[in-house]
Amino acid sequence: GVVQDALLPREMSYWGAAAALLLCTLLASLPCSDSFSLSPTPVPSLRTRMAMIGRTRGGLVGSTMQSSSSSPPKTPDAYRFESVGDSLPSRDSGKVAWPHLAPARFTHPLDTQATRTLKRLPFAEGLVRQGFGGMVEQAIYLDNLSNSVRVGPKQLPDIYAMLQEAKHILGLSDLAVDIFVRQNPAPNAYTMAMQGQKPFIVLHSSLISLLSKQELQAVIAHELGHLKCEHGVWITLSNIITVFASQLPGNLGRTLGESLTSSTLRWLRAAELSCDRAALLVAQDPRTVVSVIMKLSGGGAGFGQELNPDDFARQARDFEQESERSWMFRRMRDALTSQLSHPLPVERVRELDKWSKSADYRALLSGGTPMKGGE
């Protein structure tokens, strides 16, 4: 009751419960994501989750759109695409950009469907943006402003240039985004994932030490993917409705709460896959993004140059094969992932590997605008 009263007037709880019933029915029809997740801790309680609403964690650390054409588009000459095998596709020319890129061009199907479902709820988006979301955004922004280093043209200019290029590629040039560098020994990055008055990205200092410049830009692009899709708005709304549903009396509230929690976790995992795709759109080299995931899984500043992205991609394929060998292995895999918010690193790599060789990715590259030298 305390969390609920802090979010909305008491008289609105009945409307929230009705919306939860409707949303539960809609989300129940969503297909289960084939992605798997990994987080060092189990999913927090509803009360804890509500206290954390708005902060979409982690570029790449955890706590296929169908082509409209009947035939795949011609592969651009600048790229060598190999059939799904042992090697990741290679890039051997300059980058392209998409000034008017729509999120639906790269988001995971489950992410797209869940977002569309919530957009059907009247007044919900405005409630999050103007109410709870605005307060949380301002509080976190002030905390970053007081305890972190803000990146700019004269403060860590290389990181600032990475941000500007990534924004241009993803069609976010008009969005003012601040980057803050925060002292933290755990390599990570996060954003509130809402295009509000003060959108921002936070990078941990240890992440900058661990990654190359290209890899760091891929992480920035991953967080920009969250902002582009505004995952913070829709996942916050999903969490609010889940809390309301859990307040219903008896088994009904418990059943609705558990069902919505499971659906939200599937959505969170799909959202991370969407943002891995955004990272690939900026890096335009799968090895760069795979290398980030690999280093965050088991890398170190002292031996990062010895790590092999192609071999890690083969490891991901081995995991997929092993986990499908028997019913018991599939159950073990599902048990590992059911309560986690981020996919397993190997599954993220496998999904990225597949999408980098897909007709959708090729079509995006073919339709992109070549970037000039100064961009």
Side-chain angles (χ1 to χ4, degrees), residues 29 39 70 74 78 86 106 117 132 134 145 169 187 212 214 229 269 276 278 280 287 319 330 340:
S29 65
S39 176
S70 58
K74 181 180 178 181
D86 287 341
F106 65 87
T117 297
F132 184 79
L145 201 61
I169 292 174
S212 69
Q214 293 80 10
C229 299
R269 294 193 289 269
D276 287 345
L280 177 57
R287 285 177 178 80
F319 171 81
R330 288 192 295 272
L340 303 172

Side-chain angles (χ1 to χ4, degrees), residues 111-126:
D111 185 12
T112 302
Q113 188 174 354
T115 301
R116 287 175 179 171
T117 297
L118 283 177
K119 284 184 176 181
R120 298 172 190 167
L121 297 177
F123 310 114
E125 180 178 356

Side-chain angles (χ1 to χ4, degrees), residues 3-224:
V3 175
Q4 175 180 303
D5 290 343
L7 291 171
L8 294 170
R10 184 176 299 276
E11 57 267 26
M12 293 188 67
S13 62
Y14 301 103
W15 293 107
L21 287 169
L22 173 62
L23 185 65
C24 187
T25 302
L26 292 171
L27 289 182
S29 65
L30 294 177
C32 290
S33 172
D34 55 359
S35 63
F36 318 127
S37 56
L38 176 63
S39 176
T41 56
V43 65
S45 66
L46 288 173
R47 185 177 297 274
T48 303
R49 288 167 56 207
M50 292 307 298
M52 298 172 62
I53 280 178
R55 176 177 287 191
T56 299
R57 280 283 178 185
L60 298 159
V61 178
S63 13
T64 38
M65 297 294 291
Q66 296 296 319
S67 176
S68 59
S69 173
S70 58
S71 59
K74 181 180 178 181
T75 303
D77 294 336
Y79 291 79
R80 296 194 305 270
F81 286 98
E82 305 160 4
S83 60
V84 177
D86 287 341
S87 299
L88 296 165
S90 302
R91 176 178 65 84
D92 48 10
S93 78
K95 290 184 177 182
V96 297
W98 300 271
H100 307 290
L101 179 66
R105 295 294 305 277
F106 65 87
T107 50
H108 189 278
L110 178 58
D111 185 12
T112 302
Q113 188 174 354
T115 301
R116 287 175 179 171
T117 297
L118 283 177
K119 284 184 176 181
R120 298 172 190 167
L121 297 177
F123 310 114
E125 180 178 356
L127 174 68
V128 175
R129 289 186 187 278
Q130 303 302 325
F132 184 79
M135 293 185 293
V136 173
E137 179 189 50
Q138 185 67 19
I140 299 176
Y141 183 83
L142 288 174
D143 177 60
N144 289 326
L145 201 61
S146 62
N147 291 294
S148 307
V149 175
R150 182 171 59 188
V151 172
K154 296 183 180 180
Q155 184 75 272
L156 300 172
D158 287 348
I159 297 178
Y160 180 78
M162 294 176 201
L163 171 66
Q164 301 311 311
E165 183 183 69
K167 285 168 52 181
H168 175 71
I169 292 174
L170 294 175
L172 289 170
S173 295
D174 294 334
L175 182 66
V177 180
D178 281 323
I179 287 186
F180 293 94
V181 176
R182 200 175 187 96
Q183 185 66 243
N184 196 305
N188 204 357
Y190 58 87
T191 178
M192 188 173 169
M194 188 181 300
Q195 295 181 29
Q197 295 181 354
K198 298 287 186 181
F200 60 85
I201 294 169
V202 176
L203 304 176
H204 287 178
S205 55
S206 55
L207 182 76
I208 299 173
S209 300
L210 178 65
L211 303 179
S212 69
K213 290 184 177 181
Q214 293 80 10
E215 293 162 353
L216 185 60
Q217 187 183 46
V219 171
I220 293 171
H222 178 103
E223 301 308 322
L224 286 175

